[in-house]
Amino acid sequence: MTFSVAVSGASGYAGGEILRLLAAHPDIEIRTVTAHSNAGQPLVQHQPHLRSLAHLTLQDTTPEILSGHDIVFLALPHGQSGQYTDALGDAPLVIDAGADHRLTSQEAWDAFYGGGFHEPWTYGVPELTVDGVKQREYLRGATRIAAPGCNASTVSLSLAPGVAAGVVDPGDIVSVLAVGPSGAGKSLKPHLLGSELLGTANPYAVGGTHRHIPEIRQALAAAGGVAGDGIRISFTPVLVPMARGILATSTAPIAPGASDADIRDAWQQAYGDETFVQLLPEGHFPRTADVLGANTALIGLAIDRAANRVTVVTAVDNLVKGTAGAAVQSMNIALGLPEDRALTVNGVAP
Amino acid sequence: MTFSVAVSGASGYAGGEILRLLAAHPDIEIRTVTAHSNAGQPLVQHQPHLRSLAHLTLQDTTPEILSGHDIVFLALPHGQSGQYTDALGDAPLVIDAGADHRLTSQEAWDAFYGGGFHEPWTYGVPELTVDGVKQREYLRGATRIAAPGCNASTVSLSLAPGVAAGVVDPGDIVSVLAVGPSGAGKSLKPHLLGSELLGTANPYAVGGTHRHIPEIRQALAAAGGVAGDGIRISFTPVLVPMARGILATSTAPIAPGASDADIRDAWQQAYGDETFVQLLPEGHFPRTADVLGANTALIGLAIDRAANRVTVVTAVDNLVKGTAGAAVQSMNIALGLPEDRALTVNGVAP
Amino acid sequence: MTFSVAVSGASGYAGGEILRLLAAHPDIEIRTVTAHSNAGQPLVQHQPHLRSLAHLTLQDTTPEILSGHDIVFLALPHGQSGQYTDALGDAPLVIDAGADHRLTSQEAWDAFYGGGFHEPWTYGVPELTVDGVKQREYLRGATRIAAPGCNASTVSLSLAPGVAAGVVDPGDIVSVLAVGPSGAGKSLKPHLLGSELLGTANPYAVGGTHRHIPEIRQALAAAGGVAGDGIRISFTPVLVPMARGILATSTAPIAPGASDADIRDAWQQAYGDETFVQLLPEGHFPRTADVLGANTALIGLAIDRAANRVTVVTAVDNLVKGTAGAAVQSMNIALGLPEDRALTVNGVAP
Amino acid sequence: MTFSVAVSGASGYAGGEILRLLAAHPDIEIRTVTAHSNAGQPLVQHQPHLRSLAHLTLQDTTPEILSGHDIVFLALPHGQSGQYTDALGDAPLVIDAGADHRLTSQEAWDAFYGGGFHEPWTYGVPELTVDGVKQREYLRGATRIAAPGCNASTVSLSLAPGVAAGVVDPGDIVSVLAVGPSGAGKSLKPHLLGSELLGTANPYAVGGTHRHIPEIRQALAAAGGVAGDGIRISFTPVLVPMARGILATSTAPIAPGASDADIRDAWQQAYGDETFVQLLPEGHFPRTADVLGANTALIGLAIDRAANRVTVVTAVDNLVKGTAGAAVQSMNIALGLPEDRALTVNGVAP
């Protein structure tokens, strides 16, 4: 059986990456691609790397055009999905790469996003746990899926095992991320110009204002059975000169009494059977190049007794495991397909 | 009066940067440049950007050749300065860009470096304080100066004011640094190849093993009048694709009772009169591009009450304020010259 | 049927890329990987992005270890393949990614490489023509294949249609290539360090000394039915700060009487039916990002009557279509498999 | 004596670089900085690297505000200078960094720019010759100066000596340039986004459409005493991932009978006494890093008898020798100051 797909936001980075992955998916027919101001133009004009989709033309993003497909992907700016999701009421499967359906707390939504609040959908990070059950289980047969924020899922995957096992203190997390600009989308903002990014490291959203913070707190609280306000995180992203990639360095205090073995075991237990989230051997740490184009999150773990902190370094391709790969992996699960279909664990390096 | 200078390690990155700065210094005559395996070759073959020094030839690095100058700069790999400094006993001014004369604690030296321990020299970061007195005062008339480690001085400058004022808790510092590879020198190591660094973020020395950690603890302890073991730091450097630059994100818990005004005032008081260390206005944070080629450390400060942490983001050019600029600034002070001679506060951007 | 494979030079860039492609090939079992100084170590230590091959250990590169496989890939430094190929006399299929079996002229070999000359093997660029027949036809059932030089095949593919059709003059070609450093391999040479490559453009082999020049002349002569000395090319590669990719700008004089339609038709005819070599519409030109990780050569063509030259801009991933992809594509053809198996036309962008 | 200066376009890249250089100029007082939409804002908000100018506020760009200074720099988009220059009739010295006053031929202007044609001003490349006289001589005492196009001056300096000496044929020049995006200004265009430029090489203006072509033809015709239509050039710029820098590879046919000595002598004679344009020794070629932040054009020359072409590789910092440095150097000459004041020959590397 082949599933028909429509992708909105197809001229952007997240939409383009969903298309790149789906183009190699044997069970998927990409039938419709939509955009806003670029509607009417060939897709390949905006995604010149997607040669196998050169026959597609961007259509308008309307509920009518998106309807009638087995699967609809929404890759729209935050705050725009909601207006479509209501009108897609009878679509068999809708996957939103935006933030609109991620948060369970309206208070958090109002504080970090604002605008209309929308009901939370099943969260598209299969390897995280909620109440001790892998998110994967909730995704089976799901019809509405919220793909994660790229920084959020990277940090959540980094620390969830330790929080769940109680070997780290979730009350004083510090995360600093080296990130590529593609996570910010194809936005015409001065600080995203190449001249401003080449050869320089640029911090942004310093001091607790980044919108992915409530998403991390929500995921870690769910993983750890902790109240949301028990999770505190200092979160600083830094733009660095690579088009894509996230390298998240996250630390949390070692819980009293936790042995080195306890700590490593927490991550090993959580991810030992996972394909796309892998704990590296002791003393090894990942580079973003290792996961370029891959759906893999690679995790290196150090126990720093002098600082009394666990340091977790995680590499993710923000557009794959951080966004589009998470969406396709979740889709595979929802549809009952092999979870790794059209996804690779191998990065493109050097 | 013109001071004659010899620079060892002149074919490397630190040596090259010392030469770049001195070449524009009106009171300095660069008389001698030395190297090891490259001795006998024209300097410009190894430093093709130093056009004004095209007449110089690299000589052997021996005490005899280095002697007889008013000032000797040592830009040698760690552990190599010591063998020369003994033999330069009568040199009027020696400035070591290596680590050999930085640490006051032999225990720390043994733990992080090993090999012979050498006496500590006056530390070349004029804006730090020791016992409430700016390091600048100790540098006046100094004859032996240890230029700082680039990462170390960046983190020390980031947090010293808060530690000294008691507005942050120095017992749980977390620093993550985006750094360019030139800080590692011109070493032929696989992980420093361009193919391994372009388009990727690479962590190293994760988990408390970086050699700059004891240097930071020493500087912050001195600034804060704290015992060395009262300073605990989780320190993670990440190589990112820029030839030079350090962007250090450092956080420390807010001390109980410290108001926002107390906190900002600590940094403002410490650096308000400084030329080369500048606190940016509230809400502003620096990029490494802003300090490229400049001797400036730019500091942005955020107070994150939700995380109960102060976040300090500091940008430094590792080869200038981090190494060679600190050396020249210290030299200026030692010689009684204007502190900013041959140094600029303006970066080369974009 | 599954074919067993051995890959030598598996710890290098070309070997790693062959493995990345073969890891996704359903008809291939990667049985043996070999190296020199790294033998005995896990493959993944040197290719940390190849997570699906984490079970493999590097063995010694000896004829004995390489023998007994259906297919042997040699990804060795130039001049080293020959010593193995003699000893692999009975191997069903050997594909050499090095230069040793590319040139038909010993004179050219001696002038540009030196050392022992080896017999030419079937050249692994299926889309080029020899005597009016696509190279693809010679590859069917071939047992010894020479994968191309990355710069050479890029330039040859750029100009061969025009030379074959007689619409450009092959006697005064000028090619300038922006290239990433991975084409130079994982060599510990100072000019390949990240600090030397980040933020700068570095020319090398200027003035007609690059070893790919005779390979281009050979291919264009074969395509055009021209004597080798009828092909003259000014060839300048420039290292730019991207890990992989070639953007070749090649120009040749317009042949007297050639109309614009004649010119475009030459390329359209040559590549209109090709999957992996594509002529872009008029006015469009490729970026290397468009082919990152893909086996595609994208070609943009401009006719500059004011300069009386045709300008061809071609983008290739040096490690894929330039090397490993060409090898796998040729292998597919030789084995009678679908030519595009395990290869993609879609790049990873942005 | 101190000269008062106004700089328009001060929030852009060219304006910022003029300010960076002038900030270190002992004879200049930067009194006024102007912009358009950014008027009213602190300069340092748009040029955060210019710490020494943190006291300046951007004013409106009007003739009234620009008037009354000893020197006015115009760093405006092409086609906008003209409206101001008429109104600045009595200003002692006006230097235009835009194209409006560069071309002597209205026909060329109409073909490549369009809009109102303006009278040509003295061209700000002191090292070029017109009728056998260095441009420097025309600049002495000049009151209206047109700073060059960055690509144009780079190519013109590359080839002018050979054209003037008759050792190369100017009728079939081919130039391919690796350029950083800062040359395109701080424009919010999709293809200038960091995500589109990082890790990729992007050609533009392929096929003879770049606006710097007539400027090159004009300069080479003037240098060589050749009619403008005797200069033909195939010109292709390629954006590569570095914020600034131009590496121009230019080739021209060797003139019949020209010996190797004749050829090298042509460049040696032309530039042997120049400070800012330097011919490298035989076999040496420049990198853009060697001139970063410097006013130097470094030239490497190869004679390729097999291709019958001279290849000239020239490195320039597009914002310094390509624009702002050329403007300041020309200003120094016009005012009778030392030509190298506030300019350096040494690049910032690595």
Side-chain angles (χ1 to χ4, degrees):
Chain A
M1 176 183 175
T2 297
F3 299 90
S4 64
V5 163
V7 176
S8 67
S11 60
Y13 293 146
E17 192 69 359
I18 291 168
L19 290 167
R20 185 179 74 86
L21 296 174
L22 294 181
H25 198 300
D27 305 307
I28 294 294
E29 181 205 1
I30 301 169
R31 193 175 291 168
T32 302
V33 290
T34 78
H36 283 104
S37 55
N38 300 320
Q41 299 174 3
L43 172 67
V44 81
Q45 183 171 328
H46 297 276
Q47 309 286 10
H49 60 299
L50 298 180
R51 305 304 305 168
S52 76
L53 305 179
H55 57 287
L56 294 172
T57 299
L58 292 163
Q59 302 184 51
D60 277 320
T61 303
T62 68
E64 293 69 34
I65 288 175
L66 294 174
S67 290
H69 299 81
D70 297 317
I71 311 165
V72 178
F73 285 89
L74 300 172
L76 304 171
H78 301 314
Q80 296 194 10
S81 307
Q83 59 181 296
Y84 296 99
T85 52
D86 290 345
L88 290 169
D90 58 353
L93 176 55
V94 182
I95 301 178
D96 186 7
D100 297 33
H101 295 279
R102 287 182 201 150
L103 296 186
T104 56
S105 155
Q106 180 162 0
E107 186 185 343
W109 177 265
D110 291 345
F112 283 84
Y113 290 91
F117 177 70
H118 298 277
E119 57 164 1
W121 288 359
T122 307
Y123 193 56
V125 187
E127 300 87 352
L128 288 173
T129 55
V130 176
D131 298 332
V133 176
K134 285 266 169 104
Q135 192 70 32
R136 173 178 292 113
E137 302 309 320
Y138 303 99
L139 285 163
R140 295 194 201 288
T143 60
R144 295 293 179 272
I145 297 171
C150 53
N151 300 308
S153 61
T154 303
V155 174
S156 298
L157 285 167
S158 299
L159 293 175
V163 173
V167 297
V168 298
D169 170 7
D172 192 19
I173 296 166
V174 178
S175 285
V176 180
L177 297 84
V179 302
S182 60
K186 208 184 278 188
S187 315
L188 292 179
K189 296 175 182 165
H191 78 285
L192 295 178
L193 285 174
S195 296
E196 304 293 318
L197 293 172
L198 286 155
T200 179
N202 302 3
Y204 70 101
V206 182
T209 64
H210 196 284
R211 288 174 160 181
H212 286 179
I213 290 174
E215 190 177 335
I216 297 167
R217 296 179 68 197
Q218 174 178 306
L220 292 182
V226 184
D229 55 10
I231 313 286
R232 291 203 298 187
I233 178 164
S234 164
F235 178 93
T236 310
V238 178
L239 286 165
V240 301
M242 54 191 191
R244 48 167 88 193
I246 295 173
L247 192 89
T249 301
S250 304
T251 81
I254 300 172
S259 71
D260 286 12
D262 293 339
I263 294 168
R264 272 200 87 77
D265 279 0
W267 273 263
Q268 190 56 48
Q269 291 299 322
Y271 300 136
D273 294 334
E274 292 292 346
T275 299
F276 291 120
V277 182
Q278 301 190 8
L279 178 65
L280 297 181
E282 204 171 334
H284 287 75
F285 298 90
R287 312 171 302 170
T288 58
D290 297 335
V291 298
L292 184 78
N295 196 47
T296 325
L298 293 181
I299 297 178
L301 177 72
I303 302 167
D304 183 348
R305 290 283 169 187
N308 193 39
R309 284 186 166 262
V310 171
T311 301
V312 182
V313 180
T314 302
V316 157
D317 184 324
N318 58 302
L319 290 177
V320 191
K321 185 60 178 165
T323 305
V328 171
Q329 184 184 358
S330 297
M331 176 198 80
N332 284 338
I333 296 169
L335 297 176
L337 297 171
E339 189 172 327
D340 66 350
R341 188 149 289 173
L343 299 170
T344 177
V345 295
N346 292 338
V348 178
Chain B
M1 178 184 174
T2 297
F3 299 90
S4 64
V5 164
V7 176
S8 68
S11 60
Y13 293 147
E17 192 69 358
I18 290 168
L19 290 168
R20 185 180 73 85
L21 296 175
L22 293 182
H25 198 302
D27 305 308
I28 295 293
E29 182 205 359
I30 302 170
R31 193 176 291 167
T32 302
V33 291
T34 79
H36 283 104
S37 55
N38 299 320
Q41 299 175 1
L43 172 68
V44 79
Q45 184 171 328
H46 296 277
Q47 309 285 11
H49 59 299
L50 298 180
R51 307 302 305 168
S52 76
L53 304 178
H55 57 287
L56 294 172
T57 298
L58 293 164
Q59 302 184 52
D60 276 321
T61 304
T62 67
E64 293 70 32
I65 288 176
L66 294 175
S67 290
H69 299 80
D70 297 317
I71 312 166
V72 177
F73 286 89
L74 300 171
L76 305 171
H78 301 313
Q80 297 194 9
S81 307
Q83 59 180 297
Y84 296 99
T85 51
D86 290 345
L88 290 169
D90 58 352
L93 176 55
V94 182
I95 301 178
D96 185 8
D100 297 33
H101 294 281
R102 288 183 202 148
L103 297 186
T104 56
S105 154
Q106 179 162 0
E107 186 185 344
W109 177 265
D110 290 346
F112 282 84
Y113 290 91
F117 177 69
H118 298 278
E119 57 164 1
W121 289 358
T122 307
Y123 193 55
V125 186
E127 300 87 354
L128 289 173
T129 54
V130 176
D131 298 332
V133 177
K134 285 265 169 106
Q135 192 69 34
R136 174 178 292 112
E137 303 309 321
Y138 303 99
L139 286 163
R140 296 195 201 285
T143 60
R144 294 293 180 273
I145 297 171
C150 53
N151 300 307
S153 61
T154 304
V155 174
S156 298
L157 286 168
S158 298
L159 294 175
V163 173
V167 296
V168 299
D169 170 6
D172 192 19
I173 295 166
V174 178
S175 285
V176 180
L177 296 84
V179 302
S182 60
K186 209 184 276 188
S187 314
L188 291 179
K189 297 175 182 166
H191 78 285
L192 295 179
L193 286 173
S195 296
E196 304 293 318
L197 292 172
L198 286 156
T200 179
N202 301 5
Y204 70 101
V206 182
T209 64
H210 197 284
R211 289 173 159 183
H212 286 179
I213 291 175
E215 191 177 334
I216 297 168
R217 296 179 69 196
Q218 173 178 308
L220 292 181
V226 185
D229 56 8
I231 313 286
R232 290 203 299 188
I233 177 163
S234 165
F235 178 93
T236 311
V238 177
L239 286 165
V240 301
M242 54 190 190
R244 49 166 87 192
I246 295 173
L247 192 89
T249 301
S250 304
T251 81
I254 300 172
S259 71
D260 285 14
D262 293 340
I263 295 167
R264 271 199 88 77
D265 279 359
W267 273 262
Q268 190 56 47
Q269 291 299 322
Y271 299 137
D273 294 333
E274 293 291 346
T275 299
F276 291 120
V277 181
Q278 301 190 7
L279 178 65
L280 298 180
E282 205 171 333
H284 287 75
F285 298 90
R287 314 171 301 171
T288 58
D290 298 333
V291 298
L292 184 78
N295 196 47
T296 325
L298 293 182
I299 297 178
L301 178 71
I303 301 167
D304 183 347
R305 291 281 169 187
N308 193 39
R309 283 188 167 260
V310 170
T311 301
V312 182
V313 181
T314 302
V316 156
D317 183 324
N318 57 303
L319 290 177
V320 192
K321 185 60 180 164
T323 305
V328 171
Q329 184 184 357
S330 297
M331 176 198 80
N332 285 338
I333 297 170
L335 298 176
L337 298 170
E339 190 172 329
D340 65 351
R341 187 150 289 174
L343 299 171
T344 176
V345 294
N346 292 337
V348 178
Chain C
M1 177 182 174
T2 297
F3 298 91
S4 64
V5 164
V7 176
S8 68
S11 60
Y13 293 147
E17 192 69 358
I18 290 168
L19 289 168
R20 185 179 75 85
L21 297 174
L22 293 181
H25 198 301
D27 305 308
I28 295 294
E29 182 205 0
I30 302 169
R31 191 176 293 169
T32 302
V33 290
T34 79
H36 284 103
S37 55
N38 300 319
Q41 299 174 2
L43 172 68
V44 81
Q45 183 171 327
H46 297 277
Q47 310 285 10
H49 60 298
L50 299 180
R51 306 301 308 167
S52 76
L53 304 178
H55 57 286
L56 293 172
T57 298
L58 292 164
Q59 301 184 54
D60 276 321
T61 303
T62 67
E64 293 69 32
I65 288 176
L66 294 175
S67 290
H69 299 81
D70 297 318
I71 313 165
V72 178
F73 285 89
L74 300 171
L76 304 171
H78 301 314
Q80 297 194 9
S81 307
Q83 58 180 298
Y84 296 98
T85 51
D86 290 345
L88 289 169
D90 57 353
L93 176 56
V94 182
I95 302 179
D96 186 7
D100 297 33
H101 295 280
R102 289 183 200 148
L103 296 186
T104 56
S105 154
Q106 179 162 2
E107 186 185 344
W109 176 265
D110 291 344
F112 283 84
Y113 291 91
F117 177 70
H118 299 277
E119 58 165 359
W121 288 359
T122 308
Y123 193 56
V125 187
E127 300 87 352
L128 288 173
T129 55
V130 176
D131 298 332
V133 177
K134 284 266 169 103
Q135 192 70 32
R136 172 177 293 113
E137 302 309 320
Y138 304 99
L139 285 164
R140 297 192 200 287
T143 60
R144 293 294 180 272
I145 297 171
C150 53
N151 300 307
S153 61
T154 303
V155 173
S156 298
L157 286 167
S158 298
L159 293 175
V163 172
V167 295
V168 298
D169 169 7
D172 191 19
I173 295 166
V174 178
S175 284
V176 181
L177 296 84
V179 302
S182 60
K186 208 184 280 189
S187 314
L188 291 179
K189 297 175 183 165
H191 78 285
L192 295 178
L193 285 174
S195 296
E196 304 293 318
L197 293 172
L198 287 155
T200 179
N202 302 3
Y204 69 102
V206 183
T209 65
H210 197 283
R211 288 173 159 182
H212 286 180
I213 290 174
E215 191 177 335
I216 297 168
R217 296 179 68 196
Q218 175 177 306
L220 293 182
V226 184
D229 55 9
I231 313 286
R232 291 203 300 187
I233 177 164
S234 165
F235 178 93
T236 311
V238 178
L239 286 165
V240 301
M242 54 190 191
R244 48 166 88 194
I246 296 172
L247 192 89
T249 301
S250 304
T251 81
I254 301 171
S259 71
D260 286 12
D262 293 340
I263 295 169
R264 271 200 88 77
D265 279 0
W267 274 262
Q268 189 56 47
Q269 291 299 322
Y271 299 136
D273 294 333
E274 292 292 345
T275 299
F276 291 120
V277 182
Q278 301 191 6
L279 178 65
L280 298 180
E282 202 170 336
H284 287 75
F285 298 91
R287 312 171 303 169
T288 58
D290 297 335
V291 298
L292 184 78
N295 196 47
T296 325
L298 293 182
I299 297 178
L301 178 71
I303 302 167
D304 183 348
R305 291 283 169 187
N308 193 40
R309 284 187 167 261
V310 170
T311 301
V312 182
V313 180
T314 301
V316 156
D317 184 323
N318 58 302
L319 290 177
V320 191
K321 185 60 178 165
T323 305
V328 171
Q329 184 183 358
S330 297
M331 176 198 80
N332 285 337
I333 296 169
L335 297 176
L337 298 170
E339 190 172 329
D340 65 351
R341 187 149 289 175
L343 300 171
T344 176
V345 295
N346 292 337
V348 178
Chain D
M1 176 181 176
T2 298
F3 299 90
S4 64
V5 164
V7 175
S8 68
S11 59
Y13 293 146
E17 192 69 358
I18 291 169
L19 290 168
R20 184 179 75 85
L21 297 174
L22 293 182
H25 198 301
D27 305 308
I28 294 293
E29 182 206 359
I30 301 170
R31 192 176 291 167
T32 302
V33 290
T34 78
H36 282 103
S37 55
N38 300 320
Q41 299 174 3
L43 171 67
V44 80
Q45 184 172 328
H46 296 277
Q47 308 287 10
H49 59 299
L50 298 180
R51 306 302 307 167
S52 76
L53 305 179
H55 56 288
L56 294 173
T57 298
L58 293 163
Q59 302 184 54
D60 276 320
T61 304
T62 67
E64 292 70 32
I65 288 176
L66 294 174
S67 290
H69 299 81
D70 297 319
I71 312 165
V72 177
F73 285 89
L74 301 171
L76 304 170
H78 301 314
Q80 296 193 10
S81 307
Q83 58 180 298
Y84 296 99
T85 51
D86 290 346
L88 290 169
D90 58 353
L93 176 56
V94 182
I95 302 178
D96 186 8
D100 297 33
H101 294 280
R102 288 183 201 147
L103 297 186
T104 55
S105 155
Q106 179 162 1
E107 185 184 344
W109 177 266
D110 291 345
F112 282 83
Y113 290 91
F117 177 69
H118 298 277
E119 58 164 0
W121 288 358
T122 307
Y123 193 56
V125 187
E127 300 86 354
L128 288 174
T129 55
V130 176
D131 297 333
V133 176
K134 284 267 169 103
Q135 193 69 33
R136 173 178 293 113
E137 303 308 321
Y138 303 100
L139 285 164
R140 295 193 202 286
T143 60
R144 293 295 179 273
I145 297 171
C150 53
N151 300 307
S153 62
T154 303
V155 174
S156 298
L157 286 167
S158 299
L159 293 175
V163 172
V167 296
V168 298
D169 170 7
D172 192 19
I173 295 166
V174 178
S175 285
V176 180
L177 295 83
V179 302
S182 60
K186 208 183 277 187
S187 315
L188 292 178
K189 296 176 182 165
H191 78 285
L192 295 179
L193 285 174
S195 296
E196 304 293 318
L197 293 172
L198 286 156
T200 179
N202 301 5
Y204 70 102
V206 182
T209 64
H210 197 283
R211 289 173 159 183
H212 286 179
I213 291 174
E215 191 177 334
I216 297 167
R217 296 179 68 198
Q218 174 178 306
L220 292 181
V226 184
D229 56 9
I231 313 286
R232 290 204 299 188
I233 177 163
S234 165
F235 179 93
T236 310
V238 177
L239 285 165
V240 302
M242 54 190 191
R244 48 166 86 193
I246 296 173
L247 193 88
T249 302
S250 303
T251 81
I254 300 171
S259 71
D260 286 13
D262 293 340
I263 294 169
R264 272 200 87 77
D265 279 359
W267 273 263
Q268 190 57 47
Q269 291 299 322
Y271 299 136
D273 294 332
E274 292 291 346
T275 299
F276 291 120
V277 182
Q278 301 190 7
L279 178 65
L280 298 180
E282 203 171 335
H284 287 75
F285 298 90
R287 314 170 302 169
T288 59
D290 298 335
V291 298
L292 184 77
N295 195 47
T296 325
L298 293 181
I299 298 179
L301 177 71
I303 302 167
D304 183 347
R305 291 283 168 186
N308 194 38
R309 284 188 166 259
V310 170
T311 301
V312 181
V313 180
T314 302
V316 157
D317 184 323
N318 57 303
L319 290 177
V320 192
K321 186 60 179 164
T323 304
V328 171
Q329 183 183 359
S330 297
M331 176 198 79
N332 285 338
I333 297 170
L335 298 176
L337 298 170
E339 189 172 330
D340 65 351
R341 187 150 289 174
L343 300 170
T344 176
V345 295
N346 292 338
V348 178

